[in-house]
Amino acid sequence: MRKIVIVDCISTGTNYVWGVINFGFKPIVLELKPDTSDVEEYDKKMEMEYERVDASFDIIYEQDTYEKTLEIVKKVNPKLVLSGSERGVFLSTKLANDLNLLCNPIENLDAMTLRHEMHNRIAEKGLRYIRGKVVTSVEEAMEFYDSESLGEVVLKPIYSADSANIRICSDRQEMAGQIADFFLEKNFLGNLNDRILVQERIDGEEYIVNTVSCDGLHRVTTIWKYHKIRTSDGAFVYDTVESVNELDVGEAELIDYAYDVCDAVGIKYGPVHGEFMIDDKGPVLIEVNCSVMGGHIDSEFFEKVSGQHETDSSLESYLKTELFLKRRMSPYRLKSYGAFKRFIVPKDILAKSAPINKICPKLKSFHEIVFEDLIEEEKFYMKTENVDTSCGLVFLTHKKESVLRNDIKFLRSVERNLVLSEELDNHNKFNNSVMIKKLQLLIDAAQKYGKGILITDQTIYDVDIFQIGIEDVSDVEGEFDYVIINLNRSIIEKSDYFKVDFILKLLSYIRVGGYIFIPETTYRFIPGQRKGIELLLKALDLRIEVPPYGPIKCVIASKS
């Protein structure tokens, strides 16, 4: 069986493994040398990447010299050598060229991987580019800043990989301080930054255009648009990336420009993940990444949104020319609307649990939630200021755009209270006699709604209502006009993660029709308190009712 080598098989690139198998080849993963001095941590990271792949594959390893690595790959006798990540583009392109396989020409490698060279190349071809200069000192950066009369600038490592270590500076003074620190940091190859790219900042709408190419012909696979929001202190942070299912004004020009960029950079085969901006002058390139779109996106998500995996589209461009050409002539039509929402941390927080893990699966458009770190003990999270300080993300997809938008709106509303929790101590709020008196008043007021039931973890005396414990809820038969939920003793000692899970399960038992009363004696112990319980009701598509005038504070909902 012929083999296909995948260099640095990580993130979304792990989808290549099943794709290679389905195309009738044997996958061989070429693991790169560690990009860090902590080899143990690197091995652990790679092991986690491979665990995502539910298929068998062989692993070979990058050697101390390129020549030794080439010999190992030559013995495999591969049909193709592909890159599973942007970090793998260097080696995969060199290997494929030396083995005379279908690939992008080696002379285009710098334009494919170095941020300044890709802009130099598109400038040579007469395309719009971003002014920039590679500098080796603070003084050189200041000279460029002054000569070009710049305002806001962006600092980047010259190697194209992702948004890590990219910084926006509002003025000359901020740039000087930031760039000095930049030279002390390592790039994604694990080397100290000895050269930094200083670029003018373009302010506009940000897009992703994913393409695949076959013998210099290009086709779009998916188009995405970034959405940013302003934080309370005025900073803009990334909120969502949403699929573009139908082009708006100015977006067709973007696609033509993306094709021109592929031509200018010299793309002949395989995927390009292009980042672009549209401002009042039209589209301009931010950078091209000559691998599939990152973000640990599973193949099933791509299937739901576009009907095809990005990795399968890439393999087609090499192996099935006729199918590639057929798809290229077909209109751009997505199957569903898709988005991934980054969770924004509103302030520095020492979190003890992540209730959002239990909330997201209740959403109609939910596909998958990704938290990079499971909280087993207290963990510090910084306030979100960029992609790196987001605490996780959720993938959403639905055939109805309105459903997707409602779920995104809901997730924005939970970010302050129910993504991460500090587990504040509520013991000092617990006064049993006061709670019982308030609950008795609520039961008396609720009787006008008809026949009711009280779900409670403490017996309430001198009231005329049927009472049951939480353990008996699933066994109750009969119809009730209203339900009162009184839970405090049973949850006060529990984590917020448990409380959210517990309440969601309980609410799911509620039958259609009638009303649900959740008094302050319960919701004060839920993360987010009143807003928190209302958000949980919304997650289950329950309706929050207008409360009547009276002394009892209570959330009322109905299930239609």
Side-chain angles (χ1 to χ4, degrees):
M1 179 183 290
R2 289 296 301 273
K3 303 173 180 66
I4 291 179
V5 172
I6 309 158
V7 180
D8 201 33
C9 185
I10 64 171
S11 188
T12 308
T14 56
N15 295 332
Y16 267 125
V17 174
W18 266 116
V20 167
I21 293 171
N22 291 336
F23 272 75
F25 294 84
K26 181 177 178 59
I28 306 292
V29 170
L30 172 53
E31 184 175 308
L32 298 182
K33 291 182 291 187
D35 55 357
T36 174
S37 58
D38 191 341
V39 176
E40 184 177 344
E41 182 64 26
Y42 180 80
D43 290 342
K44 182 179 178 182
K45 183 187 78 170
M46 296 308 298
E47 184 179 345
M48 291 175 63
E49 293 285 354
Y50 300 150
E51 284 176 354
R52 300 177 67 244
V53 183
D54 186 21
S56 62
F57 56 91
D58 292 339
I59 303 177
I60 56 178
Y61 298 90
E62 182 184 11
Q63 302 299 297
D64 293 334
T65 67
Y66 171 73
E67 289 72 22
K68 290 180 180 179
T69 304
L70 176 61
E71 283 302 313
I72 289 176
V73 175
K74 189 180 293 185
K75 291 178 182 177
V76 171
N77 188 27
K79 173 72 172 179
L80 298 170
V81 177
L82 307 177
S83 175
S85 75
E86 188 60 27
R87 185 169 170 247
V89 172
F90 294 91
L91 185 55
S92 63
T93 304
K94 290 179 180 179
L95 290 170
N97 272 271
D98 286 341
L99 296 172
N100 295 315
L101 306 177
L102 291 180
C103 61
N104 292 306
I106 193 68
E107 58 266 24
N108 297 326
L109 186 55
D110 283 354
M112 291 165 54
T113 56
L114 302 180
R115 285 179 165 122
H116 62 295
E117 290 295 349
M118 59 187 68
H119 280 273
N120 290 341
R121 180 69 68 86
I122 66 174
E124 291 172 3
K125 300 297 182 179
L127 300 177
R128 186 185 175 194
Y129 66 99
I130 299 177
R131 287 182 297 162
K133 181 178 176 63
V134 176
V135 302
T136 58
S137 68
V138 174
E139 293 73 23
E140 195 176 354
M142 304 293 268
E143 181 181 343
F144 172 68
Y145 185 95
D146 293 337
S147 66
E148 294 292 324
S149 301
L150 298 174
E152 287 189 310
V153 295
V154 182
L155 307 180
K156 304 176 180 180
I158 63 171
Y159 296 103
S160 170
D162 54 30
S163 60
N165 298 322
I166 292 179
R167 301 175 188 176
I168 298 174
C169 303
S170 58
D171 54 36
R172 188 178 190 272
Q173 183 178 356
E174 184 180 358
M175 181 192 72
Q178 293 277 7
I179 204 166
D181 293 338
F182 225 130
F183 284 118
L184 302 175
E185 297 175 357
K186 292 184 178 181
N187 57 40
F188 85 114
L189 294 175
N191 304 318
L192 280 174
N193 291 314
D194 56 355
R195 294 184 292 166
I196 304 297
L197 175 60
V198 180
Q199 285 185 320
E200 65 171 325
R201 187 191 178 198
I202 305 296
D203 189 16
E205 301 285 346
E206 292 184 57
Y207 289 84
I208 295 168
V209 179
N210 292 322
T211 61
V212 290
S213 304
C214 175
D215 197 21
L217 297 175
H218 320 296
R219 79 172 181 89
V220 169
T221 55
T222 52
I223 308 164
W224 305 81
K225 185 176 182 180
Y226 287 102
H227 292 269
K228 293 181 284 187
I229 62 172
R230 185 188 292 270
T231 62
S232 58
D233 58 1
F236 283 95
V237 296
Y238 288 102
D239 177 43
T240 62
V241 181
E242 300 175 27
S243 63
V244 176
N245 292 51
E246 186 174 338
L247 297 186
D248 205 345
V249 175
E251 292 172 350
E253 182 184 6
L254 166 66
I255 306 307
D256 281 335
Y257 176 82
Y259 292 146
D260 290 340
V261 167
C262 287
D263 285 338
V265 173
I267 302 299
K268 295 296 182 182
Y269 286 95
V272 169
H273 168 70
E275 303 265 353
F276 300 88
M277 190 84 76
I278 297 180
D279 63 6
D280 55 0
K281 297 179 181 178
V284 65
L285 174 70
I286 299 175
E287 64 184 63
V288 291
N289 298 285
C290 298
S291 59
V292 291
M293 182 177 182
H296 288 90
I297 308 174
D298 66 30
S299 57
E300 186 182 352
F301 179 77
F302 279 124
E303 279 280 7
K304 289 180 178 179
V305 174
S306 69
Q308 191 183 29
H309 313 166
E310 294 284 301
T311 45
D312 276 0
S313 299
S314 173
L315 289 166
E316 277 181 7
S317 71
Y318 291 97
L319 302 171
K320 295 189 176 183
T321 302
E322 290 185 5
L323 185 54
F324 171 89
L325 294 174
K326 180 180 178 181
R327 292 187 191 276
R328 181 173 173 268
M329 299 308 296
S330 300
Y332 176 78
R333 298 288 187 271
L334 300 186
K335 293 175 61 178
S336 298
Y337 293 87
F340 28 110
K341 165 83 175 78
R342 293 190 179 276
F343 294 120
I344 296 169
V345 184
K347 63 178 182 178
D348 290 353
I349 181 174
L350 190 62
K352 295 182 180 179
S353 66
I356 194 68
N357 279 307
K358 287 296 181 182
I359 296 171
C360 282
K362 305 297 182 181
L363 302 178
K364 293 180 180 178
S365 64
F366 174 77
H367 174 74
E368 182 185 18
I369 186 170
V370 178
F371 255 76
E372 294 185 3
D373 296 292
L374 295 176
I375 305 174
E376 297 176 353
E377 299 178 354
E378 287 184 337
K379 179 176 174 61
F380 177 74
Y381 287 86
M382 291 178 57
K383 177 181 177 180
T384 298
E385 296 177 347
N386 50 38
V387 173
D388 296 334
T389 47
S390 167
C391 63
L393 71 162
V394 60
F395 293 93
L396 308 168
T397 179
H398 202 277
K399 290 188 178 296
K400 291 185 178 180
E401 184 180 15
S402 59
V403 171
L404 187 75
R405 298 230 172 273
N406 284 338
D407 285 351
I408 291 173
K409 180 181 177 182
F410 170 79
L411 288 172
R412 287 175 181 148
S413 69
V414 308
E415 280 178 314
R416 183 160 294 276
N417 299 305
L418 293 175
V419 174
L420 298 168
S421 175
E422 294 175 286
E423 306 285 353
L424 300 178
D425 185 9
N426 281 310
H427 282 81
N428 60 349
K429 297 180 181 179
F430 192 91
N431 186 313
N432 191 59
S433 60
V434 172
M435 287 183 176
I436 289 177
K437 287 180 180 179
K438 288 184 176 182
L439 199 60
Q440 287 172 330
L441 290 173
L442 173 61
I443 292 169
D444 289 341
Q447 288 181 349
K448 66 180 181 181
Y449 289 92
K451 181 182 178 183
I453 182 172
L454 171 63
I455 302 172
T456 182
D457 54 14
Q458 55 188 149
T459 302
I460 311 298
Y461 297 100
D462 301 323
V463 291
D464 184 19
I465 190 171
F466 179 48
Q467 303 181 39
I468 62 167
I470 184 64
E471 66 279 359
D472 300 319
V473 170
S474 58
D475 298 328
V476 173
E477 296 180 357
E479 295 295 329
F480 296 92
D481 299 303
Y482 68 90
V483 177
I484 299 175
I485 298 174
N486 174 56
L487 300 173
N488 39 65
R489 285 185 180 276
S490 60
I491 63 175
I492 195 170
E493 300 282 355
K494 305 294 185 181
S495 70
D496 285 350
Y497 179 87
F498 173 87
K499 292 174 185 177
V500 167
D501 185 40
F502 189 69
I503 293 294
L504 286 171
K505 287 180 179 177
L506 174 61
L507 292 173
S508 68
Y509 290 131
I510 303 299
R511 294 184 175 88
V512 172
Y515 293 91
I516 306 158
F517 293 84
I518 305 174
E520 185 185 11
T521 54
T522 293
Y523 69 64
R524 71 189 303 179
F525 300 106
I526 301 300
Q529 299 193 17
R530 183 165 188 156
K531 286 184 178 178
I533 201 70
E534 289 176 347
L535 288 166
L536 297 182
L537 291 167
K538 284 290 188 183
L540 294 173
D541 206 24
L542 300 175
R543 178 171 182 161
I544 299 173
E545 300 288 350
V546 175
Y549 171 77
I552 308 302
K553 297 295 185 290
C554 182
V555 174
I556 307 174
S558 61
K559 187 174 184 178
S560 58

